[in-house]
Amino acid sequence: MESTARTELITLGGGCFWCLEAVYELVDGVLAVESGYSNGHVPRPSYQQVCTGTTGHAEVVRVTFDPARIPLCEVLEIFFAIHDPTTRDRQGNDVGPQYRSGIYWHDPAQEAVARAVVAEADAAHGGRVVTELQPEANYWRAEDEHQHYYARHPMQGYCAFVVAPKVAKFRRTFAARVRAGV
């Protein structure tokens, strides 16, 4: 029997990657989430390098999803609900270009959807959305200790006080999108 399953990959930056990863790991239709660094100029950057704000990279998550179960527009609606797209190079106390809001597409169809969703978000936020829209470039996977960070360290200070409220907001706002059993 031939498989007709299809997956898509979108790369998103919305502040610290631990926050985005923790939410997208709960989304029904999301098959995998990987933390990494994207759209900078230094090849194979480390976390320490990216934290300096000089590599040009954003902290991102690569989200692999099944578009038959969750369309890209809904993946992006969740994105805009769980971070502040109106603050340039900042999410809460995390400040620097590595924390910028960005959607990094993988094909022209994704670009079109992203532009439409950003336009809607911009209208909803009074024209203040600063989300960067670019094709993904120079992606590098984050170190193992950053993968599934919230799931492994829910009581760590940053996780308890910054990540957990975003996870709770997702669960409240998108209850129908929470994967069964999590």
Side-chain angles (χ1 to χ4, degrees):
M1 181 174 172
E2 184 176 316
S3 173
T4 59
R6 186 175 141 249
T7 63
E8 280 192 47
L9 177 68
I10 190 75
T11 304
L12 305 171
C16 177
F17 44 35
W18 298 340
C19 294
L20 295 178
E21 178 190 64
V23 168
Y24 282 108
E25 287 183 334
L26 301 176
V27 177
D28 186 39
V30 168
L31 307 173
V33 185
E34 179 180 88
S35 291
Y37 316 110
S38 190
N39 290 60
H41 58 272
V42 173
R44 301 169 46 172
S46 69
Y47 180 72
Q48 290 74 22
Q49 289 174 305
V50 172
C51 283
T52 69
T54 62
T55 69
H57 288 83
E59 286 193 16
V60 298
V61 291
R62 270 186 164 179
V63 179
T64 303
F65 63 99
D66 177 349
R69 292 173 53 201
I70 183 167
L72 178 58
C73 63
E74 288 185 38
V75 170
L76 296 178
E77 287 171 14
I78 292 167
F79 172 70
F80 281 108
I82 61 173
H83 87 291
D84 182 354
T86 68
T87 56
R88 188 171 307 283
D89 297 342
R90 176 184 202 123
Q91 287 297 304
N93 290 331
D94 294 329
V95 179
Q98 67 272 29
Y99 300 116
R100 67 189 180 267
S101 176
I103 300 171
Y104 306 103
W105 67 79
H106 294 259
D107 62 47
Q110 286 186 340
E111 177 186 5
V113 171
R115 289 195 183 281
V117 174
V118 167
E120 290 173 16
D122 195 41
H125 286 89
R128 297 179 301 121
V129 169
V130 296
T131 302
E132 176 177 80
L133 293 169
Q134 298 288 328
E136 184 197 82
N138 198 20
Y139 175 83
W140 187 248
R141 183 182 187 277
E143 297 82 352
D144 287 346
E145 65 258 28
H146 297 293
Q147 306 302 324
H148 315 290
Y149 193 85
Y150 178 71
R152 293 183 298 109
H153 306 285
M155 300 313 294
Q156 186 261 3
Y158 188 91
C159 290
F161 293 104
V162 178
V163 182
K166 291 184 182 206
V167 170
K169 180 180 181 181
F170 163 73
R171 286 181 176 279
R172 281 190 315 274
T173 308
F174 295 95
R177 277 284 168 213
V178 177
R179 182 186 335 234
V182 294

